Amino acid sequence: MSDQNSLLETDIRAYLEAHENKSLLRFITCGSVDDGKSTLIGRMLYDSKMIFEDQLDALEADSKRVGTQGENIDFALLVDGLTAEREQGITIDVAYRFFSTDKRKFIVADTPGHVQYTRNMATGASTADLAILLIDARRGVLEQTRRHAFIASSLGIRKLVLAINKMDLQNYEQSVFDDIENDFIEFAEELAAGIEIQAIPMSALEGTNITTKSDKTPWYDGPSLMEYLETVPVDDERLNAPFRLPVQYVNRPNLDFRGFSGQIPSGTVRVGDRVKTLPSAKETTVTKILTGDKEVQEAVAGESVTICFADEVDTSRGDLICTAEEPAEVADQFQTRIFWMSDEKMLPGRRYLLKIGSKTVTAQINETKYRIDMSDLQDRPARDLSLNEVGVCTMSLDQAIPFDAYNDIRETGAFILIDRLTNNTVGMGMIDFALRRAGNIHWQSVDVNKQAHSSQKGQKPAVLWFTGLSGSGKSTIANALQKRLFSIDRHTYLLDGDNVRHGLNRDLGFTDADRVENIRRVAEVSKLMVDAGLVTLVSFISPFRSERRMARNMVEDAEFVEIYVNTPLNVAEQRDVKGLYKRAREGKIKNFTGIDSPYEPPLEAEIEIDTTSMTADEAAELIVDWMKQRGMLEA
């Protein structure tokens, strides 16, 4: 009987206290598909007696019904809980399981092996201390093995168990094990510095070298998997890092109490400590620390707390409370590593929501410097990122945020990217460092501002944004409108798609990434012209809603008018003044909107024009009447 079981029978309080004080190891199992990850975890749960009798009965019944091991127990079913997983015999989602032994508590994440579910693997790795990387002894190191190893090391995991599984199918040959271990170690030289690798030969199905050393591998002198997991030192770097507290909630139950609540990702805070709130950079002293309903003198990483200040410091949700001696940095431009998790490509110039801690801001990918090829970890030129690709990108935000480099403190250096239209998480990233220019560039205040320009011209500035297919009549209507506005003494300027590509955007092609950058630049110019007090007419296909929304958000909402020139594709193609549709149909023009590149029509345009039922002059007059009704043409 173990010491823990003996204590359980004699002193339940002592047992609970001992259990509570055990160290916790978070680890993941990862690797290529069908390498035995779920079977390994099931075997560990089974051998550590963490399965109740009713669970065991259900497992035995399920093994006979949908298992893959004949009359034997299929341990993978313990963690493959989704119907689709059991039907296909694969892991799709991340499955978390808790178990414990006499020496340590464990939380394990069983992550998928299929390439299409790599994003789920990255999610599981983001909170892990150790990774068990399974390799099928018959197949050796695969590209997905390398991909998972790279992602794990990039996310800060420094301890890897190279679990060379299914050795029973290779007659436990030492040469097979040695070849795979050497192959992986050679590859691992390209991973982050400080990676520790423990290779273990095993058979998850037979239980070989899982909980105890097996005599089937007499040539192996290392620990069993469970022995290693129970004894591997887990340096909790979070405790030694500087104190950080992202504010999740401002606790103000009454006029006499004001506290700031959140979970401490790193460091220790004590009553009397000097702290600084960012981005305001105001300093104060901690007067009280609460954990639940209990007041304490100190709190450490991993604890959820509410802290109170000696002074009235303006602090709100999304701010970061730091130790005053070692505060975080504040910047709005960074170099980052991004793991792309969406079927739709990441496009430079497109705006996303960035969530870091409890703060959400608008972010724009400025440039993809390169992507990392998972086959050899070499840098490859790239303009955009596709599903499951990892790239190094520069990024700018609409406001400065407090942060730490990911390699210093994970929680304050990691972020996710969210699509602004669908609200889907499309990427996860890690901040490497702030770009130096972020701290050197400041907005220059001027005395002659937008209001002064508008007053001088006796008009209200605006952006009239024409969008529609090529050949819809955008430029013709915009030209007619400009003449009409000129006749009533309005100061205007017309930005036309073709004209701008002769100069400002002559370096851009017609890929999705180029189209996004094309509209970003034009939107920036439009904003400057609004600041100059002009009525700016913009005539661009601008096929993506996201970029049109970005352009709208650059100016005041009342200053932006979206005009949808709604001409059916067959009508635009019949006009085809420039012969572009004909060439696109012949395959001579690639990425042509409406043919092999999508057009996303506006959902709520202020004005919609049907050019099949009105002339350009009639459309221009309709727009002028619309502007008059809303007071946009008043002096």
Side-chain angles (χ1 to χ4, degrees), residues 382-592:
R383 184 74 184 274
D384 48 39
L385 294 178
S386 300
L387 176 65
N388 293 330
E389 288 187 337
V390 180
V392 172
C393 308
T394 59
M395 172 185 294
S396 59
L397 312 182
D398 65 343
Q399 58 181 281
I401 61 169
F403 76 98
D404 293 285
Y406 183 85
N407 289 341
D408 295 333
I409 302 178
R410 278 199 206 183
E411 291 81 354
T412 51
F415 60 86
I416 61 172
L417 292 173
I418 302 168
D419 186 279
R420 300 168 71 197
L421 295 178
T422 65
N423 214 35
N424 292 332
T425 298
V426 293
M428 60 183 293
M430 297 145 280
I431 296 175
D432 288 332
F433 51 81
L435 299 180
R436 181 170 297 180
R437 60 179 178 269
N440 296 336
I441 300 176
H442 306 279
W443 187 264
Q444 178 65 48
S445 298
V446 293
D447 294 327
V448 182
N449 56 20
K450 179 169 66 175
Q451 288 71 28
H453 284 296
S454 300
S455 177
Q456 180 195 52
K457 294 175 177 61
Q459 65 182 31
K460 295 180 180 179
V463 173
L464 306 178
W465 193 283
F466 292 81
T467 178
L469 294 171
S470 176
S472 62
K474 300 182 302 298
S475 296
T476 304
I477 296 172
N479 185 57
L481 177 61
Q482 187 179 37
K483 289 191 295 183
R484 179 71 177 83
L485 292 173
F486 186 82
S487 71
I488 57 174
D489 297 326
R490 299 295 117 172
H491 297 265
T492 66
Y493 194 83
L494 172 58
L495 291 170
D496 182 79
D498 284 352
N499 294 349
V500 170
R501 281 187 178 272
H502 280 289
L504 177 66
N505 293 347
R506 68 182 303 173
D507 60 316
L508 299 177
F510 291 90
T511 65
D512 286 352
D514 284 332
R515 291 181 187 277
V516 169
E517 175 62 12
N518 186 42
I519 299 305
R520 187 196 69 79
R521 294 182 190 179
V522 171
E524 293 282 2
V525 173
S526 301
K527 178 181 181 298
L528 294 175
M529 291 195 168
V530 166
D531 287 342
L534 296 174
V535 176
T536 308
L537 293 76
V538 181
S539 175
F540 279 71
I541 294 174
S542 48
F544 303 127
R545 297 188 189 108
S546 178
E547 278 58 63
R548 298 197 297 267
R549 174 179 288 191
M550 174 266 295
R552 179 187 294 272
N553 291 339
M554 284 189 176
V555 297
E556 296 178 22
D557 192 54
E559 295 173 340
F560 191 93
V561 181
E562 186 173 35
I563 303 171
Y564 177 29
V565 183
N566 186 1
T567 302
L569 176 61
N570 64 319
V571 175
E573 198 164 353
Q574 287 171 10
R575 295 172 180 170
D576 202 14
V577 178
K578 303 173 186 176
L580 300 178
Y581 282 100
K582 182 175 184 296
R583 294 171 63 195
R585 292 291 188 189
E586 294 172 350
K588 297 178 181 178
I589 300 178
K590 300 297 184 183
N591 303 312
F592 192 82

Side-chain angles (χ1 to χ4, degrees), residues 335-348:
Q335 176 173 300
T336 65
R337 287 165 287 156
I338 294 178
F339 175 70
W340 197 244
M341 305 167 70
S342 173
D343 292 322
E344 293 190 10
K345 286 185 177 182
M346 183 210 77
L347 299 177

Side-chain angles (χ1 to χ4, degrees), residues 57 146 191 194 208 238 306 413 433-434 459 463 479 570 603-604:
D57 292 340
R146 291 191 280 265
L191 298 178
T208 306
R238 300 184 306 165
T306 297
F433 51 81
Q459 65 182 31
V463 173
N479 185 57
N570 64 319
L603 300 177
E604 297 179 348

Side-chain angles (χ1 to χ4, degrees), residues 161-180:
V161 175
L162 195 63
I164 302 176
N165 191 31
K166 303 186 181 182
M167 286 293 294
D168 54 310
L169 301 181
Q170 297 287 63
N171 297 317
Y172 294 103
E173 291 288 341
Q174 180 179 0
S175 60
V176 173
F177 173 81
D178 290 342
D179 288 345
I180 295 174

Side-chain angles (χ1 to χ4, degrees), residues 49-107:
K49 306 297 188 291
M50 290 301 296
I51 306 175
F52 296 111
E53 290 185 7
D54 59 337
Q55 289 178 305
L56 184 58
D57 292 340
L59 176 63
E60 291 174 346
D62 287 343
S63 296
K64 294 177 181 178
R65 183 171 58 87
V66 295
T68 60
Q69 303 302 322
E71 293 299 313
N72 298 322
I73 292 177
D74 187 349
F75 293 105
L77 298 180
L78 279 171
V79 283
D80 283 344
L82 299 177
T83 301
E85 292 178 324
R86 294 188 169 204
E87 289 176 348
Q88 300 178 57
I90 63 172
T91 299
I92 295 174
D93 203 356
V94 182
Y96 293 92
R97 291 292 183 270
F98 171 86
F99 68 100
S100 68
T101 65
D102 287 351
K103 297 180 179 179
R104 180 172 270 174
K105 295 181 289 187
F106 303 92
I107 295 177

